[in-house]
Amino acid sequence: MDTSASTNILPLPTFDALGISRERIILEPMQVVGIGALQQNTLGHVSLDLRVGPIRAPTLIHVMEGNTSYHIILGHPWLKAYKVVASTYHKCVKAIWRNK
């Protein structure tokens, strides 16, 4: 989770480990600015049925090349939409889900 990220990011090695065909990536690259103003283009995006605890939702995720220390970044818009609270102390996701 990255409460300052504006989009969802999935590194290509994680994408491949999920066993999803690369043909599902919609080739519409987007420029992402990271730590230290490092700029990198995504390969494109994919819509995945993401499941985080009790939340299950179709989620647009941008796929990037490169080795990273994370498996996925869920950006601020996703966290806000599902009322997720990021806990840096426990490094986990706490989701409060209410059906209305």
Side-chain angles (χ1 to χ4, degrees), residues 22-82:
R22 288 189 184 190
E23 293 175 357
R24 287 196 50 195
I25 299 173
I26 298 170
L27 303 176
E28 293 178 354
M30 178 180 83
Q31 191 172 70
V32 177
V33 179
I35 297 171
L38 177 67
Q39 297 179 8
Q40 185 176 356
N41 287 327
T42 66
L43 297 174
H45 59 84
V46 64
S47 181
L48 298 177
D49 188 22
L50 186 65
R51 185 172 173 181
V52 178
I55 301 169
R56 186 171 181 180
T59 303
L60 185 71
I61 302 175
H62 294 271
V63 181
M64 291 183 68
E65 287 189 88
N67 293 319
T68 62
S69 60
Y70 58 85
H71 297 293
I72 189 171
I73 290 179
L74 296 175
H76 184 266
W78 191 93
L79 298 173
K80 185 177 178 183
Y82 295 102

Side-chain angles (χ1 to χ4, degrees), residues 2 14 16 36 43 65 71 82 84-85 93:
D2 188 340
T14 304
D16 289 337
L43 297 174
E65 287 189 88
H71 297 293
Y82 295 102
V84 173
V85 178
V93 174

